[in-house]
Every structure is written in C-alpha cells, then in structure tokens.
Amino acid sequence: MLNNRQNLDAKQGIMFLGLLFVSLISFYTGIGYAQVNTFLINCGSNSSTTDTDGRVWVGDPSGDNFTLSYPGTIEQTPTVEANSIYQTLYRSVRIFFTSAHYGFNVSPGSYCIRLHFYPFSFTNLNVNDSTFDVTANELKLVSNFNVPGEISYKNMRSKKVINSLVKEYFLYVSSNELQINFVPYSGSFAFVNAIEVIELLNNLFANYANKVGSKEKSSLSLTEHGVETMYRLNVGGPAVEPSEDRNMWRKWEPDDDFMFSVNAATAISNQSNISYSSINDTSIAPLLVYETARIMSDNGVVEKRFNVSWRFDVDPNFDYLVRLHFCELVYDKQNQRIFRIYINNKTAAEEYDVFVQATGMNKAYHEDYADTVPQQIDTLWLQLGPDSSVGASGIDAILNGVEIFKLSRNWNLAHASERISNSNEGLGKKKTRSKVLWAATGIGASVITISIACVFFLQHVRKRKWDGVKENPPGWHPLFLHETMASTTNAGASKIPLINNGLIASNRLGRIFTLAEIRAATSNFDESLVIGTGGFGKVYKGEIDDGVLVAIKRGNPQSQQGLAEFETEIEMLSKLRHRHLVSMIGYCDEQREMILVYEYMANGTLRSHLYDTAHPALTWKQRLDACIGAARGLHYLHTGAERCIIHRDVKTTNILLDGNFVAKMADFGLSRAGPSLDHTHVSTAVKGSFGYLDPEYFRRQHLTQKSDVYSFGVVLFEVVCARSVINPSLPKDQINLAEWALRWQRQRSLESIIDPRLGDYSLESLKKYGEIAEKCLADEGKNRPTMADVLWHLEYILHLHEAYRKSSDGDSFGSSEFGFQDMPFSLPFVREGDEERGS
Ligand SMILES: *[C@@H]1O[C@H](CO)[C@@H](O)[C@H](O)[C@H]1NC(C)=O
Ligand SMILES: *[C@@H]1O[C@H](CO)[C@@H](O)[C@H](O)[C@H]1NC(C)=O
Ligand SMILES: *[C@@H]1O[C@H](CO)[C@@H](O)[C@H](O)[C@H]1NC(C)=O
C-alpha cells in the first residue's frame, strides 16, 4: 500500500492535520523468532565473507533474491583500521555517481535495515565530498548525508574519531519489494560498505506508547511511520556486542558518555536468574542488558535528593520514542526503590516502582514513552529522581538500558526542515542553499541546524584538530561507531611540556608490571590487603622488590569510564613529578586489567585523620602542614606545566599522608588539561564530588583552576571543622558544610564550630584561615584567589601559629603579633625550584 503514491499523499495529508498521535492500525505478528527474510550484503565485492561472529555476507552483484540496478564502481582496501568484527566486510565499498538501488524480494512485513559506512581513502575521491540521500521505499532515511571524519556529540564527554558508522532503521514493507535507493547529489557520489536487512517476526514496537506529560497515547505502529534508532545503551555495563544479541545482532553501547554527572549514579550488576517479565519480550533486548544497571549513588553522605541524568543530542522537530529497560536486581519486595521519570524535564511517570511494574525481582521489563522535541531544541534529557511523596528510605532509582528511536514525520527521517520545505524544492535548490551557507560560515554547517551549528562552531572552532573536517551534517547521528576514542583529555595532556626540571615525558614513563608480579605483590589480590575502595575498584597494599611498599589500584575492567580515567591518570602521572603529588611507580594493563602502582602512603587519607576515626586528632600545625602540602601540589598542577592542569576532584580523600605526614595530592583520574591562553575555561561535563563541587562549574560547566580553588576551600573548612562536607543527618541548615561554615565565618565566629579536638591554636591564625577559606568559596571564580595566593596565606598562617606557640612556650613574645603584619598580604612567594625536583 505504501508503494502507492496516492496513498502516500493521503497519509501526508493526515499527518499535516496533526493527527500524529492517533492510535491507528496495529499489527502484531506471532511469537517465535526466525530470520526468514534476512539479507547480509557485502557491498563492492564479488565474493562472500564471514565476519568474526560467523555471519555470512554475500557479494553484491545481483543475487538470488536481490538485484543491484547499476554497478557504479567498486573499491577495495587491503587494511581496515576499525577494531571491528567487520574487518573483512569493510574491505570493499560500492560507489555510485548516479542514482542506484538495491531491490530485495521480500514478503510484506516489518524490517530492520542497517547501513554500514566505512570511509577509507578512495582513489581520486575525497570521502568528505560524498553527499547523498538514501531512501527505503518511500521512507527517506538520510538527506544531504556525508560521513564525517570526526564526530563530537555536543553533549558527550569524548570526541570520537570514526572508522566507520552504522545507521539503523525500522520500516513496514507492504509490497513484495524493498528498494534501498542511493541518490548522490550532482557532482558528488554515494557509497556503502554493507547492508543488513532483517525481517522482524516478533514485533519490536507495541501499538502505542504513553505520551509524556499527557494522558494520550502515541502510535508506534510501523504502518504509521518509519523509525531510526538513535541510541541503544547498556546502562551501567560494558558494551553488549552484536554476537551477544543473536535475535537482532544489535550493539548496545555503554552509557557513561551520556551521563550528565557520573557521580550521581553507581553501577551495579547481578547475573543470576533474570527472566523476561513477559514472554512477548524475548526479542526486545538480550538478558545481558538487564544484568547491569545504575542506581542512585549512596555513599552515606549525600541525601538522595538529586536526579540521575542522561542527555542526548537529537535532531529538532521530531517525535522520539524513549524505551527504558528495567529490572530490579537487588530488592525482593516493593517500595524499596520509588522514583520519578522525567523526559525533557516533564514528568513521564510518578512513583515508579520497577518491582511492581515488572511483577518481581530479576524480571526484565521495558517501558515506552513518546515525546516531541520541538524546533530549536537539540537535546533530549532523561532523568530519574526522587518522588516527593516518598519517605527518605524509598528514594532510589534504577535503570538497566535505554533506547531512543526517532519517528519519521511524513515518511522522512532526515532533517525536519526537509519536510517543511515544500516538495517542489528539488535537490538542486537545496544544494545551492547549502553552498551559500558554506560560503557564509566558511564551514560545512548544515542548512538546517545553522543557528545551532554556528554557535557550536564558534565555540569549538579552535579546538578542531583537523582541517577539512566538516561540522556534523544533518542526520549524521550514527547508531554506533567503530571508533578510536580520542578523549580530549589525553590529547591535551600529551601536549604538556614541563617548564622546570621535572621529567619531560614523551612517552608513558614508569615501570610496566606483569600481572604475575602484581599478583605476587598482593598475595593474589588478598582482601585483607585492601586499603581503600571506590567507584573505580579497590586499592591494595602490596610489596615489590624485596620489601618496597606500594599501593596498587586495580580498576574495575567493566567500566568504560574507568578506562578513560585510567589512561588519563597514566598520562598525567607520567609527566608530573612533585614532592606533593603521589607518584606513580608503574602500571599493568595485561589482560584488560587497569592497575596502577603508586608509592605507598603510610598514613592514608587526610580524611581518615579528621573524623569518624580511631586515629588521634591532628594538631593545628599538622593540619596546616597538610593543607600547605596539598596546596603546593595543586599550585604545581596549575602552574608547573606550560598548560595548567585542573585536578577536578579535590577532596580530603584525595589528599594522602606519607609516613611523615607529608601531604600529597592523589587521584588524577578526572584531571584535565586546563585552558590554553586564548581560552578562559574548558567546557566539560560536570565531574567531581558532591559537597566539593564549584557551583559556577556546576551551573555553567566551565572548568577553570578556580574550580579546584573552590573545592580546596571546602577542604579547608572540613579540616578545621572535622565533619563531612555533606551530612544529611544534621538539621537542614547544617547539611552542607560549605554553606554552614561560610555563614559562621561571615559572622566572624568560625571558632564556634571548629573541631573540639583541634587543641591549642592561635586565634589570629584561625581568623586568617577562615578568611582565606571564605575567599576560596567566592561564588564567582574570578573573585577567588589563585592557589599561589592560598598557599602564601597558609604559610603565613602557619608562621602566625608557630610564633604564637613559641611565645606561649618560651614566653619571649608578648603576643601573637610577630611582625608578620607587615608582610605584603597579597604577594605570593612561591619558588618552584625548591619543590619540583623529579623523584
Ligand atoms: C566481479 O565480477 C564481474 C562480473 O563477473 C567482473 O567483471 C569483475 O571483474 C569482478 N570483480 C572482481 C574484483 O573480481
Ligand atoms: C529533576 O529533574 C526535573 C526535571 O528536569 C526537575 O523538575 C526536578 O526539580 C529535578 N529534581 C531534583 C531533585 O533536582
Ligand atoms: C532540563 O533539565 C536540565 C538538567 O536539570 C537542565 O540543564 C535544562 O536546562 C532543563 N531544560 C529546560 C528546558 O528546562
């Protein structure tokens, strides 16, 4: 029926009348799965090839039940860089200079189409010059399409250099032919490396979904519109490969890159006994997806009154289906985890209890929501958060997987303004318009996202690494990439030459340990040697080379996030040597392990000496010394290298004390090269720890050295008050240490709230200490001191205190006034050379 032009026009009319959300015809084919009509095409090749998953892809001169209308030209490459199961598949490509189509003989039904693009260097052609449309029967899949060489999602942490990309669609075919058309723009060309066509015998889409923010239902029927898969994520777990999803050969990516604040959620997993809540759901997602999840972080100090948020770049002016996969992995009764689901800041569900919805524990279940992303909005938010109607004990959320599907408008999945532009505006005209804009902006900004793209471009133009890389064209969103991760962190870090006599590292320095050595050092990771745990994994005390004590940090190999941080830390620590930075001795990456070996810090974290502790209280001098040491380490990070390095996670558990209580900064997993001179900030997703987070960074996501200064200010108050930075068990106005201490400090009565175990201290020194801490917490970064200032003040404070001690001991000075008043108060004296010896 859809092959009929008139029918299509009638449907378009209906769409324009705005009856988009009327539930209409549905179809449900039977249960039971078999791939009857499946085509795997190895484009540009005469022969079949088998991928590493054992699937056979046939060459694409016309075959038994498919035809190629026009051969175009074929190209081959001996090497495929993609670290991909499709290594052999991507060695050939078919290139079209005029329109061409593949025709598949199928029976009417629902189909999944995947197009694979691997842009290797073609003879006499620049891949960047390809511009084309692809349609499948009447459904427009992409328009003005170009495979970009480098992809940076606006909302994503890392930049990806792509080797190949895959796009995935679903559509209903009402006739006996599925035609996939490649239409190059004049003077340009189209290409494709592989095509998958898979018949869906078990329908993936129900008839309707709840429409967010209304009681209406949205039709999901494929007879109403085509669908493009935008994102498919295994939340809280590693990628699930196509071979692990044998129903549909889908790839499920990790979700780390899409999380707004990684600290808000904790990954959990449970492999036992998961089953589908409904027998109809077996092809919805593999059970592996349900075995991992994220729940709200609960480190005992943060009250769970926050949202766990993910955000996604999407194309404006489309309807989206957000499919949430849930499975309660921990609780065996209801009311343990109750939360709200928000999509695009609107409530999609209230008092959601997965246990109830899925009818039990370990039951795989999914929920569909539909929402419209209007013109001018290109971000889709998914948030899970507390429900105000629930008492503190039930506040928690869980999510196991998420998929985001774009629904076509008017049988068009390409950019929406293609739809708005009226139909007699042909390709030629679009091309002209696009040329004008290219000229106007000097880049290949897309016609449609021009305003967004321009802003984005202006913000990012200096960061672009390669000439000739175009801005992401409309419809470029790949479902998945076979990419090389190019984390901007690492790229930045590798450019840091050190100015003083620190070690200049061109490569990773440090010893490479074998896993056997690590096992020997830790008695095979004996639990009794664990000296710390965290989101990344565990830290063991170990012994290498006849008795040298070391700290061995073993990352959780499941974590994609962890891998990036592991590499950052190796990069950072390889280049940085300083008396007040914990030094890395080496690392081990054998067998996908992520193990770092550090100097052993006998006295553990500064936090462990402050509160909830059996250790004796630190004296005021010891506390000042520790703060000074940490400040020196931070000051070195900020200024010791040509480009400053921002620590990003300054807190008392990242300040370690050696056997002599010398403090050193640790944990560079979140570090990031700071802005170069022509930039004032680094724009980045918010990371860090609750209670220490710079509010300005949180608001604007602009990262500067001053974000570390803020966190350090919180540390100063924590050190003197000896309480946790967030303590939900306290009265409301005391929960947040920074706010509470600041209030007392502003009333000049910090001494009322200090640690009673502080011992003897000079009031004068405490007064100055409160002042500098207060300055660090200035709301705006520009009003905060530099670390050099902070350091100078702390040293001055220590002198004040020591003078006071001397006077009270020896009685040779009458007061705490020791002539320091005359010292210039804002002139930092920091001599790099004293401290920055390599170790
Ligand atoms: C593929 O087959 C066609 C027709 O049989 C032939 O002309 C062409 O040379 C072959 N190409 C390759 C690369 O073998
Ligand atoms: C969670 O997000 C929603 C929608 O953006 C917002 O209305 C709500 O206030 C947030 N809740 C918390 C606790 O931040
Ligand atoms: C939706 O919520 C997010 C996160 O809280 C926020 O950054 C964004 O500005 C909100 N969007 C709108 C339209 O309110």
Side-chain angles (χ1 to χ4, degrees):
M1 88 187 155
L2 298 179
N3 283 339
N4 175 315
R5 191 72 215 167
Q6 279 174 345
N7 253 333
L8 184 65
D9 286 343
K11 278 197 180 294
Q12 283 173 340
I14 290 171
M15 292 302 185
F16 272 106
L17 288 172
L19 298 176
L20 199 63
F21 296 109
V22 178
S23 168
L24 282 171
I25 319 150
S26 69
F27 60 94
Y28 238 104
T29 47
I31 298 155
Y33 200 87
Q35 285 164 21
V36 183
N37 286 308
T38 293
F39 303 84
L40 301 176
I41 311 295
N42 181 14
C43 301
S45 172
N46 278 356
S47 54
S48 293
T49 181
T50 306
D51 66 31
T52 57
D53 292 337
R55 290 202 296 168
V56 178
W57 301 69
V58 302
D60 71 346
S62 303
D64 284 349
N65 41 16
F66 73 96
T67 54
L68 172 59
S69 68
Y70 154 77
T73 57
I74 66 178
E75 291 247 2
Q76 280 166 345
T77 182
T79 50
V80 167
E81 281 170 32
N83 177 17
S84 156
I85 50 178
Y86 304 118
Q87 293 258 347
T88 55
L89 186 60
Y90 290 168
R91 284 196 190 141
S92 63
V93 65
R94 196 167 287 273
I95 300 171
F96 304 110
F97 296 96
T98 61
S99 299
H101 66 256
Y102 289 86
F104 300 92
N105 300 330
V106 298
S107 40
S110 298
Y111 288 84
C112 169
I113 298 174
R114 286 191 198 113
L115 305 175
H116 296 244
F117 301 98
Y118 175 71
F120 57 80
S121 48
F122 306 150
T123 327
N124 300 328
L125 289 174
N126 182 346
V127 146
N128 281 331
D129 294 339
S130 68
T131 310
F132 55 99
D133 290 1
V134 183
T135 60
N137 289 356
E138 275 71 28
L139 178 66
K140 182 162 257 177
L141 307 183
V142 293
S143 184
N144 203 353
F145 186 62
N146 166 271
V147 179
E150 181 178 4
I151 282 178
S152 52
Y153 292 81
K154 180 164 65 89
N155 287 322
M156 197 153 151
R157 295 213 159 71
S158 48
K159 188 172 267 187
K160 305 209 161 187
V161 176
I162 67 160
N163 293 124
S164 71
L165 66 83
V166 178
K167 291 179 72 75
E168 181 185 281
Y169 304 92
F170 294 92
L171 82 167
Y172 183 72
V173 179
S174 57
S175 66
N176 287 311
E177 193 187 30
L178 168 62
Q179 226 182 61
I180 301 182
N181 299 280
F182 290 84
V183 184
Y185 282 29
S186 86
S188 187
F189 62 94
F191 73 96
V192 61
N193 299 74
I195 301 175
E196 286 172 77
V197 174
I198 300 174
E199 185 179 10
L200 308 181
L201 288 187
N202 214 352
N203 193 22
L204 285 182
F205 300 99
N207 300 337
Y208 54 80
N210 307 312
K211 191 159 156 49
V212 176
S214 97
K215 295 260 182 288
E216 289 173 63
K217 303 275 189 190
S218 278
S219 165
L220 291 183
S221 167
L222 288 180
T223 56
E224 295 297 306
H225 32 59
V227 169
E228 174 176 358
T229 313
M230 302 290 283
Y231 299 95
R232 176 171 288 139
L233 307 177
N234 180 25
V235 174
V240 174
E241 299 297 333
S243 58
E244 296 172 307
D245 182 8
R246 290 194 173 249
N247 268 333
M248 286 291 300
W249 303 89
R250 291 165 292 206
K251 175 156 182 180
W252 301 72
E253 305 262 20
D255 70 320
D256 313 47
D257 273 333
F258 302 93
M259 290 205 72
F260 181 60
S261 173
V262 172
N263 287 301
T266 309
I268 59 168
S269 73
N270 170 5
Q271 275 100 35
S272 62
N273 290 328
I274 293 172
S275 60
Y276 292 102
S277 159
S278 156
I279 190 156
N280 295 335
D281 282 356
T282 54
S283 58
I284 294 287
L287 288 174
L288 261 183
V289 169
Y290 297 98
E291 289 181 358
T292 61
R294 281 191 202 272
I295 57 173
M296 293 173 90
S297 285
D298 181 8
N299 49 19
V301 289
V302 180
E303 193 188 5
K304 289 187 264 184
R305 292 273 172 203
F306 53 87
N307 288 326
V308 184
S309 309
W310 292 260
R311 54 186 183 171
F312 303 93
D313 290 357
V314 292
D315 295 324
N317 215 6
F318 279 103
D319 298 312
Y320 290 88
L321 166 64
V322 178
R323 173 166 290 173
L324 305 178
H325 297 272
F326 294 115
C327 181
E328 175 52 65
L329 298 174
V330 178
Y331 295 118
D332 59 1
K333 53 180 186 292
Q334 62 186 59
N335 289 330
Q336 305 304 301
R337 245 193 254 286
I338 297 178
F339 57 97
R340 263 185 202 211
I341 304 171
Y342 301 94
I343 290 171
N344 292 326
N345 308 55
K346 293 172 289 193
T347 302
E350 288 180 331
E351 297 186 34
Y352 201 86
D353 185 337
V354 172
F355 184 92
V356 173
Q357 300 294 330
T359 66
M361 182 183 167
N362 290 337
K363 292 283 184 208
Y365 179 79
H366 72 282
E367 192 87 67
D368 286 345
Y369 297 101
D371 193 31
T372 304
V373 171
Q375 193 82 44
Q376 259 121 40
I377 302 288
D378 62 354
T379 301
L380 189 150
W381 285 88
L382 167 63
Q383 293 170 292
L384 307 180
D387 203 306
S388 48
S389 60
V390 177
S393 66
I395 296 177
D396 204 348
I398 186 168
L399 183 66
N400 306 63
V402 58
E403 287 172 285
I404 296 179
F405 299 100
K406 177 163 80 174
L407 310 185
S408 72
R409 286 202 165 174
N410 230 11
W411 300 103
N412 192 341
L413 280 164
H415 217 278
S417 65
E418 299 280 342
R419 176 186 67 90
I420 293 161
S421 67
N422 66 50
S423 53
N424 54 25
E425 182 177 328
L427 291 181
K429 188 149 177 198
K430 270 180 253 160
K431 182 81 174 171
T432 324
R433 222 169 47 169
S434 133
K435 266 189 191 140
V436 169
L437 285 167
W438 284 33
T441 60
I443 54 158
S446 74
V447 180
I448 302 88
T449 54
I450 182 69
S451 54
I452 299 154
C454 275
V455 171
F456 186 40
F457 169 69
L458 291 175
Q459 281 173 353
H460 287 76
V461 62
R462 291 199 187 133
K463 288 197 210 154
R464 282 151 49 129
K465 285 189 290 184
W466 301 343
D467 289 341
V469 173
K470 295 178 185 177
E471 286 300 300
N472 298 326
W476 62 272
H477 290 283
L479 171 58
F480 61 85
L481 309 164
H482 301 286
E483 81 283 2
T484 47
M485 280 285 232
S487 135
T488 35
T489 313
N490 290 347
S494 60
K495 289 190 205 109
I496 304 171
L498 299 187
I499 50 169
N500 47 51
N501 57 354
L503 295 167
I504 295 183
S506 50
N507 300 310
R508 288 176 177 185
L509 291 177
R511 172 168 160 192
I512 300 173
F513 288 86
T514 63
L515 192 51
E517 283 173 308
I518 300 284
R519 287 192 191 282
T522 57
S523 309
N524 201 13
F525 300 111
D526 190 334
E527 287 295 308
S528 69
L529 296 174
V530 172
I531 51 175
T533 48
F536 54 85
K538 291 179 176 166
V539 183
Y540 299 83
K541 179 177 174 179
E543 203 179 304
I544 56 167
D545 306 335
D546 316 309
V548 177
L549 288 177
V550 290
I552 294 180
K553 178 163 140 185
R554 186 189 198 193
N556 172 3
Q558 300 290 301
S559 153
Q560 188 84 16
Q561 186 65 29
L563 183 62
E565 290 179 6
F566 175 70
E567 296 193 331
T568 307
E569 185 138 2
I570 292 180
E571 291 281 341
M572 291 281 175
L573 286 177
S574 298
K575 295 182 172 67
L576 302 169
R577 285 288 186 273
H578 187 276
R579 186 170 132 78
H580 294 285
L581 300 181
V582 170
S583 46
M584 186 185 70
I585 295 169
Y587 62 96
C588 166
D589 55 5
E590 214 176 283
Q591 289 176 29
R592 301 191 68 212
E593 289 281 355
M594 299 184 289
I595 296 172
L596 292 162
V597 181
Y598 303 89
E599 65 176 307
Y600 180 64
M601 299 291 285
N603 279 308
T605 68
L606 175 56
R607 161 96 50 100
S608 69
H609 293 270
L610 291 175
Y611 47 91
D612 299 337
T613 174
H615 294 300
L618 296 177
T619 65
W620 183 223
K621 177 174 175 351
Q622 279 176 314
R623 296 185 205 208
L624 287 173
D625 280 336
C627 293
I628 288 170
R632 276 189 213 278
L634 278 176
H635 170 61
Y636 171 74
L637 281 180
H638 288 180
T639 58
E642 195 173 86
R643 266 183 83 187
C644 109
I645 294 163
I646 303 168
H647 185 288
R648 295 220 286 175
D649 201 14
V650 175
K651 55 183 177 184
T652 48
T653 48
N654 280 340
I655 298 171
L656 302 183
L657 302 170
D658 74 6
N660 300 316
F661 284 90
V662 173
K664 308 190 180 199
M665 290 304 306
D667 208 337
F668 297 82
L670 297 180
S671 302
R672 183 171 275 261
S676 51
L677 284 179
D678 53 348
H679 284 82
T680 54
H681 67 266
V682 177
S683 182
T684 171
V686 173
K687 286 193 179 184
S689 299
F690 278 100
Y692 295 94
L693 262 184
D694 170 9
E696 192 180 47
Y697 170 37
F698 198 78
R699 275 196 308 272
R700 302 171 50 204
Q701 292 172 52
H702 288 177
L703 184 63
T704 70
Q705 300 94 301
K706 296 298 182 66
S707 306
D708 282 351
V709 173
Y710 182 93
S711 307
F712 192 77
V714 180
V715 166
L716 290 178
F717 279 128
E718 187 182 354
V719 163
V720 74
C721 298
R723 52 150 283 188
S724 62
V725 295
I726 302 281
N727 185 344
S729 64
L730 291 171
K732 195 157 176 287
D733 63 331
Q734 299 183 24
I735 290 177
N736 185 317
L737 169 64
E739 288 170 14
W740 181 61
L742 215 45
R743 258 196 313 279
W744 287 93
Q745 168 56 29
R746 288 194 179 123
Q747 294 161 18
R748 299 285 168 257
S749 41
L750 184 62
E751 63 278 8
S752 338
I753 59 163
I754 60 169
D755 182 6
R757 306 199 305 164
L758 187 59
D760 193 22
Y761 65 94
S762 92
L763 210 54
E764 182 70 9
S765 64
L766 183 71
K767 192 174 135 228
K768 295 289 180 209
Y769 185 91
E771 283 168 14
I772 190 65
E774 178 183 354
K775 284 195 181 118
C776 290
L777 295 187
D779 205 42
E780 288 183 72
K782 64 177 196 291
N783 298 328
R784 295 177 204 147
T786 62
M787 277 317 296
D789 287 326
V790 175
L791 179 53
W792 191 90
H793 280 75
L794 288 173
E795 285 176 331
Y796 172 66
I797 290 159
L798 180 63
H799 284 302
L800 280 181
H801 175 67
E802 279 173 343
Y804 157 87
R805 294 279 303 173
K806 265 204 193 111
S807 70
S808 49
D809 288 355
D811 239 359
S812 50
F813 296 91
S815 77
S816 65
E817 319 290 299
F818 187 50
F820 280 99
Q821 251 78 351
D822 302 325
M823 290 174 78
F825 208 72
S826 61
L827 201 153
F829 74 101
V830 179
R831 295 199 313 278
E832 302 290 350
D834 295 350
E835 296 294 337
E836 281 76 40
R837 293 276 142 69
S839 58

